[in-house]
Amino acid sequence: MVPGARLVILGRQGAGKGTQCVRLARHYVVPHISTGDIFRAAVKEGTEFGNKLNEYMHAGQLVPDEIVIGVVRERLNQRDTRSRGFIFDGFPRTAEQAEELNKMLDEENMPLDLAIDLEVPVEYALTRLAARRTCSTCATIYSTDRPPSINWTCDNCGGEVVQRADDTEEAIRRRLEDYNTLTEPLIAWYLEQDLLVTIDGLGTPDEVLNRLTRAIDHRSG
Ligand code: ADP
């Protein structure tokens, strides 16, 4: 059995985190934890909690730290993460979240293996975001260049593949601004802890996956 992994994937919107995390999760047999996917699932359920989240997400605003941290704490306590680890996608996004994550991992004696900055120039990220389409059921990511094989029906689960409600120009601009001011500083923070690797996110999904697995295997080998 391949050993597990404990990874954080950083990178701006459109860098390809979601696409690569699904592949990494399969490769290392480790849970992929996307806070965005968790929140979207809650929105879909239409609970009061979900409706509240939707207000932030629809506007392209960050969900408050205490909510995010609560959700992550619960997820980290599940058996699969304890035995196999995790690949965090879209978390942490603020200094507070990053510090809380370190505390939680310290408490559980589960140190982070690596934080990966998936780097893509902003103009490419914008083009990818405009083309991005997502399965509304299982969150598989497609694009107008790589659509599902049948008429916007997900190849994975048969769900409807749509443009995300928060992939509007205004919400994208806001999310990218938040990334620059709140999330990008985490790159230097992880670098100081000697946990950071930067990976070029340009190229085909397979090329990028190869770069990622090489860096991860090198680090753990
Ligand atoms: P993107 O990276 O394109 O913004 P995600 O699917 O990661 O997409 O997140 C969608 C939305 O969910 C964000 O715009 C934000 O409202 C919320 N969200 C997800 N993760 C976090 C987080 N760690 N902290 C705060 N808000 C979050």
Side-chain angles (χ1 to χ4, degrees):
M1 187 65 172
V2 257
R6 292 191 284 264
L7 306 170
V8 159
I9 313 293
L10 300 165
R12 64 166 57 87
Q13 286 73 10
K17 295 189 297 297
T19 303
Q20 293 301 330
C21 284
V22 169
R23 289 160 186 254
L24 287 173
R26 275 196 211 122
H27 184 92
Y28 292 106
V29 198
V30 166
H32 167 206
I33 306 180
S34 155
T35 40
D37 287 349
I38 295 174
F39 296 155
R40 271 186 292 280
V43 169
K44 222 172 156 195
E45 296 220 327
T47 57
E48 205 178 310
F49 178 60
N51 293 343
K52 184 78 208 149
L53 291 173
N54 198 25
E55 287 174 25
Y56 296 108
M57 294 171 74
H58 201 78
Q61 274 176 324
L62 288 182
V63 172
D65 284 339
E66 61 197 71
I67 297 182
V68 181
I69 290 161
V71 164
V72 167
R73 186 182 292 279
E74 212 172 284
R75 186 65 188 80
L76 270 181
N77 272 328
Q78 289 174 18
R79 193 180 301 180
D80 58 345
T81 42
R82 287 180 170 273
S83 60
R84 299 293 308 155
F86 49 79
I87 303 173
F88 274 122
D89 163 8
F91 175 87
R93 267 190 220 215
T94 64
E96 163 103 20
Q97 292 178 18
E99 275 160 20
E100 281 300 318
L101 176 64
N102 266 7
K103 272 193 222 156
M104 289 187 256
L105 297 179
D106 273 356
E107 280 163 23
E108 303 298 336
N109 199 17
M110 306 198 303
L112 196 65
D113 296 323
L114 209 55
I116 297 174
D117 173 24
L118 195 56
E119 202 179 50
V120 161
V122 73
E123 57 274 23
Y124 285 91
L126 285 170
T127 310
R128 284 182 179 180
L129 287 170
R132 175 159 81 182
R133 300 292 183 273
T134 309
C135 173
S136 50
T137 304
C138 74
T140 295
I141 296 169
Y142 298 91
S143 82
T144 48
D145 306 333
R146 287 171 210 268
S149 35
I150 306 167
N151 206 13
W152 299 108
T153 299
C154 180
D155 292 333
N156 189 36
C157 77
E160 192 189 0
V161 176
V162 297
Q163 184 161 33
R164 257 170 54 179
D166 62 344
D167 276 351
T168 60
E169 213 175 301
E170 172 64 20
I172 287 173
R173 193 184 53 75
R174 194 154 187 177
R175 275 145 62 210
L176 285 168
E177 273 173 23
D178 278 346
Y179 183 81
N180 289 339
T181 53
L182 298 170
T183 312
E184 206 170 28
L186 300 182
I187 293 171
W189 189 78
Y190 280 119
L191 187 64
E192 270 167 33
Q193 298 172 61
D194 197 22
L195 283 171
L196 190 88
V197 174
T198 299
I199 298 291
D200 176 6
L202 290 183
T204 65
D206 284 347
E207 282 164 356
V208 179
L209 180 69
N210 274 333
R211 283 178 212 138
L212 285 164
T213 52
R214 248 185 283 137
I216 295 164
D217 295 344
H218 175 74
R219 182 75 181 208
S220 55

